Amino acid sequence: TFSSSPSAAEHRNMAAARPTVSIFAAEGDEEKVSKSVKLPGVFLAPVRPDVVHQVHTGLSKNKRQPYCVNKYAGKSVSASSWGTGRAVSRIPRVQGGGTHRSGQGAFGNMCRGGRMFAPTKQWRKWHQKVNITQRRYAVCSALAASAVPALVMARGHKIEELPEVPLVVSNGVEKLSKTAAAVALLKKLGAYDDVEKVIASKTMRAGKGKMRNRRFVQRRGPLVIYDKDDGISHAFRNIPGIELADVNSLNLLQLAPGGHLGRFCVWSQGAFERLDALFGTHKKPSSEKTRHKAAYRLPQLQMTNSDLSRLINSDEVQSVVNAPKEGTKPAVLKRNPLKVASVMDELNPAAAVAKKRATEKQKAAVDAKAALVVQRRTGSAPSRALPAEQKSVKKSFFSLMSQD
C-alpha cells in the first residue's frame, strides 16, 4: 500500500501488509477519506506466479470454439494408383485425359491440391478442467498481487497519482448510473490516467483478425469490483479498458490477464468488506465458500520467510554451524602398496614375513632343480624306474582284472 496525497506524504509506506486501508468518499468534488477498514486476509496470501500461469492457461481454453477443415477438402477428384511397373510412384493419380490435371498426384498431403496431413476434427478436446482448489489459490494470489504497487506498475498500469493501493471507494459508487459521473470519480481519485493510457494504445490488430470483427486491440484498464449492481455496470461499461466484476464471482482471467499478476483494481466498500467472508483469513476459514461442505481456507506457504540468504546469515543459524575452516588440507600423494613396501607394511603387517617365506620357498625350489639337472648330466641321478615290488603288484593286479 502506498499513498501519494500531500496529507499522507510523511506516512508513505510501500509495504503491502498495511493493517488498515482508507475508504474514499464517492460523493463530492474533493478527494476525502470517509473511514478506514482492516485489510482483508486474502491480500496476505502467497503470490504464486506459477500457479496463476498454470490455471490461466487451463481456463483460457474453455472459451475456444471448435473448428476443422472440410472433410472433403482435397478429396473431391476421382483418382487411383497406377500400381507398379510404370516407373512412377504409387500415389493415387487423377483419372481421365485431355488435360494437364489427368495423371497428376492427388489425395496425399505432399501433392498439389491434396488434403492436409491429419485433417483437423471438431471432436478435438478443446476444454480443460481445472481443480477448484487450484482456481481459488490462483484467485487469492492475483488479489494479493493487486495490492502490491510494484507488481501493478510492472504490469503497465498508471497509478502514480493514486492516493492508495488498493483503491477502495465508498458504496456510493455502486449507485452511479451515468458515465460522466464515473469519469469524474476516476479523475478525482487519480485513476483516469490508466484510462487515458488505454485510449492512446488503441491500434489496428495484426493478422486476419481484422476481417473477423476484432479489428482493433487495446490495453487493459482498471477492474471495478462491486458488491451490488445499482447502476454501476451502466456507468462504467462504456469507458475504454474498464471491466466490471462481481465480488461473488471473481474471474482469474480478469484479475490476471494473460497470466500476468498485478491488475489495477478499484473496489467498492461493500465488495472489499466481504472478502473475509468469501475467502476467510489465516485464523478462521471462509463462512460462505465451501467445497463438499468443508469451509475454504486461505493458502499458506510452508516458509514464513523465503529470504534464504537472510536465514543462513542470521545469528540463530550461524551460532550452531561449524566455523569455517581456514587454509587447505595438504595433498597426500597416493602410493601403490604393491610397489612400496613401507605402504604395504602399514596396510598388512604380516606382508613382509609372507613375502620372505615365499621368496625362500621359491629359491629352494630353484636350487633343487639345478642340482637335479647336474646329477642327470653326470649320470648320478636316482633312477626314475619303478621298484621291483611295485612292478610285481601292478602285474598281479592286471592279471586279476583280466580274468573271466
Side-chain angles (χ1 to χ4, degrees):
T1 305
F2 79 98
S3 174
S4 60
S5 59
S7 60
E10 64 274 10
H11 302 292
R12 186 170 300 167
N13 183 12
M14 296 299 287
R18 185 176 179 180
T20 60
V21 177
S22 302
I23 296 180
F24 296 89
E27 300 80 7
D29 298 332
E30 298 295 331
E31 177 186 310
K32 183 178 65 174
V33 176
S34 61
K35 60 180 294 189
S36 296
V37 295
K38 184 179 179 182
L39 185 73
V42 69
F43 289 103
L44 303 181
V47 179
R48 292 287 300 274
D50 53 340
V51 176
V52 172
H53 184 270
Q54 179 184 358
V55 174
H56 184 279
T57 302
L59 293 180
S60 61
K61 294 179 180 179
N62 295 330
K63 62 182 179 181
R64 295 190 294 178
Q65 293 184 356
Y67 69 88
C68 70
V69 297
N70 191 325
K71 66 178 182 179
Y72 298 115
K75 306 277 286 187
S76 60
V77 295
S78 176
S80 61
S81 174
W82 288 357
T84 59
R86 299 185 65 174
V88 292
S89 64
R90 289 175 287 188
I91 193 74
R93 298 179 181 276
V94 179
Q95 297 177 346
T99 177
H100 291 91
R101 182 61 172 145
S102 60
Q104 290 182 355
F107 296 168
N109 64 306
M110 74 293 293
C111 299
R112 178 178 178 269
R115 52 154 177 79
M116 66 177 288
F117 168 75
T120 53
K121 302 296 181 181
Q122 70 272 24
W123 57 76
R124 183 191 303 184
K125 185 178 180 296
W126 300 98
H127 301 80
Q128 179 174 339
K129 177 183 177 298
V130 182
N131 293 340
I132 188 170
T133 308
Q134 288 180 304
R135 297 203 304 265
R136 287 177 175 173
Y137 198 139
V139 169
C140 291
S141 291
L143 289 177
S146 68
V148 181
L151 296 179
V152 178
M153 297 177 70
R155 206 187 168 281
H157 292 289
K158 303 297 183 181
I159 61 172
E160 290 81 1
E161 301 299 325
L162 287 185
E164 200 169 292
V165 171
L167 182 61
V168 186
V169 188
S170 62
N171 285 329
V173 69
E174 296 179 350
K175 299 179 181 179
L176 296 179
S177 59
K178 294 295 184 179
T179 304
V183 171
L185 176 64
L186 294 176
K187 289 182 178 179
K188 180 180 69 172
L189 297 176
Y192 197 73
D193 291 346
D194 204 43
V195 177
E196 293 178 341
K197 176 209 67 175
V198 174
I199 296 174
S201 68
K202 185 176 181 180
T203 184
M204 190 80 70
R205 179 186 296 271
K208 287 293 186 69
K210 287 192 294 289
M211 297 179 267
R212 296 173 182 168
N213 292 329
R214 44 182 188 266
R215 193 166 184 80
F216 297 98
V217 291
Q218 63 185 11
R219 304 288 78 79
R220 296 290 185 100
L223 175 64
V224 180
I225 304 176
Y226 59 88
D227 183 24
K228 296 180 181 179
D229 185 4
D230 293 331
I232 185 174
S233 60
H234 290 77
F236 284 91
R237 66 183 181 181
N238 203 33
I239 302 177
I242 287 189
E243 297 177 347
L244 293 105
D246 191 336
V247 71
N248 297 292
S249 57
L250 293 175
N251 189 356
L252 181 70
L253 301 179
Q254 289 182 319
L255 291 172
H260 306 300
L261 294 168
R263 180 74 184 264
F264 171 33
C265 299
V266 179
W267 297 83
S268 71
Q269 180 181 347
F272 198 73
E273 292 176 345
R274 288 205 58 214
L275 289 177
D276 281 345
L278 292 172
F279 294 97
T281 64
H282 289 286
K283 294 184 178 180
K284 64 177 183 178
S286 167
S287 60
E288 298 187 20
K289 285 184 179 292
T290 59
R291 176 65 173 168
H292 300 309
K293 298 183 180 180
Y296 176 67
R297 291 183 177 273
L298 277 179
Q300 299 185 23
L301 287 177
Q302 299 300 320
M303 297 179 63
T304 57
N305 183 7
S306 59
D307 192 349
L308 291 180
S309 61
R310 183 178 177 185
L311 289 175
I312 294 173
N313 295 323
S314 63
D315 296 337
E316 292 81 2
V317 175
Q318 291 297 322
S319 62
V320 294
V321 299
N322 294 333
K325 298 178 177 62
E326 298 180 358
T328 57
K329 187 177 180 180
V332 179
L333 179 63
K334 184 177 180 181
R335 295 180 294 175
N336 190 352
L338 300 177
K339 297 181 179 180
V340 184
S342 59
V343 179
M344 178 61 80
D345 291 340
E346 295 177 0
L347 298 176
N348 183 11
V353 178
K355 183 177 181 181
K356 182 180 179 182
R357 189 185 307 116
T359 303
E360 292 176 351
K361 183 178 179 180
Q362 183 180 6
K363 186 175 182 303
V366 171
D367 294 343
K369 184 176 182 179
L372 182 60
V373 171
V374 173
Q375 290 177 358
R376 287 178 178 175
R377 288 177 179 174
T378 57
S380 60
S383 176
R384 287 183 290 178
L386 293 176
E389 296 179 357
Q390 193 172 355
K391 283 184 178 182
S392 62
V393 171
K394 290 180 63 176
K395 190 174 182 180
S396 62
F397 176 77
F398 181 77
S399 62
L400 181 64
M401 296 298 294
S402 300
Q403 292 178 1
D404 295 337

